[in-house]
Amino acid sequence: MNEMKILDVGTLAARPILTGVSGGERALTCLADELVKHVPETPVVLDFHAVEVLGGSALRHLLQGIRRHPQCERAAVVLVNLSEANKEEADLVAEAVRTPYISAKYSADELSHTELRGPLDPKVARTLQLVIQAGEADAQTVSQLSNEPGVVTAWNNRLVTLQSMGLLRERKAGKRKFYSPVIGGLAYGS
């Protein structure tokens, strides 16, 4: 958790209501200085506790801008402290742009209730679930855990896809690459 910085969207944007493309643009502009300092391949954590109303267009514009930022290209986006209504908007946006996000609660300097929400290709989703189950795994381990016929290369490709989305981190041990969830306690499809 020490490498993640929490960006308070409502306070930085100085608005409790973020709607429309202009709302997303305002939020993105207000986050610009922080995004430049972002550590690549670590999650971008956006706190929405001070945002009462979050419109889909604003969120879509904000997320697309973050994902295009050079420091954030391979970073998962974590939306924390969303109200139920704002979480519903985030789910609609994830479905519309076919890109999942991580939802969580944040308090006392700790993330909890971390859950990947939104669409994933079924085989990629299965790969993620197997890595979550194992805690850390390489392609060979995932292949064995799956009990499915197929080549290890296909599992490796799915692991790389999940890493490029920022959902898994990679650790090299010799020639082997091991993957683990980018955030501890991450759940998907439970």
Side-chain angles (χ1 to χ4, degrees):
M1 181 61 205
N2 57 0
E3 62 215 23
M4 287 188 267
K5 181 173 178 167
I6 310 302
L7 303 176
D8 187 334
V9 177
T11 301
L12 288 169
R15 298 267 169 97
I17 298 173
L18 292 173
T19 58
V21 172
S22 62
E25 182 62 38
R26 177 175 177 78
L28 188 58
T29 299
C30 294
L31 294 174
D33 289 342
E34 296 300 324
L35 294 177
V36 168
K37 297 183 264 183
H38 182 76
V39 177
E41 297 189 28
T42 62
V44 176
V45 184
L46 305 176
D47 190 344
F48 287 90
H49 79 276
V51 177
E52 296 169 18
V53 178
L54 178 62
S57 294
L59 182 59
R60 181 173 39 251
H61 187 78
L62 174 61
L63 295 179
Q64 288 172 340
I66 289 170
R67 288 189 176 109
R68 283 191 305 264
H69 195 284
Q71 296 294 105
C72 307
E73 290 174 335
R74 294 173 64 93
V77 176
V78 183
L79 307 181
V80 301
N81 299 328
L82 289 168
S83 68
E84 284 306 312
N86 289 346
K87 192 181 287 185
E88 288 175 16
E89 278 299 313
D91 288 346
L92 291 172
V93 169
E95 190 63 41
V97 298
R98 306 293 305 152
T99 303
Y101 71 96
I102 298 172
S103 171
K105 295 288 182 196
Y106 175 75
S107 65
D109 294 329
E110 194 171 298
L111 288 177
S112 62
H113 301 91
T114 55
E115 174 188 20
L116 184 67
R117 298 175 65 94
L120 269 183
D121 171 86
K123 290 182 180 184
V124 173
R126 174 80 172 128
T127 305
L128 178 62
Q129 288 168 329
L130 291 168
V131 173
I132 290 171
Q133 173 189 332
E136 181 181 67
D138 64 352
Q140 182 70 40
T141 302
V142 171
S143 178
Q144 291 169 351
L145 287 172
S146 74
N147 292 322
E148 297 175 16
V151 294
V152 174
T153 305
W155 292 105
N156 187 65
N157 291 341
R158 294 175 196 136
L159 289 165
V160 170
T161 296
L162 288 162
Q163 184 206 10
S164 72
M165 297 170 76
L167 301 175
L168 297 179
R169 66 174 43 122
E170 176 186 282
R171 178 181 68 83
K172 292 182 182 177
K175 292 184 177 187
R176 296 175 71 184
K177 295 179 181 180
F178 291 88
Y179 298 88
S180 60
V182 72
I183 294 177
L186 183 65
Y188 181 70
S190 5

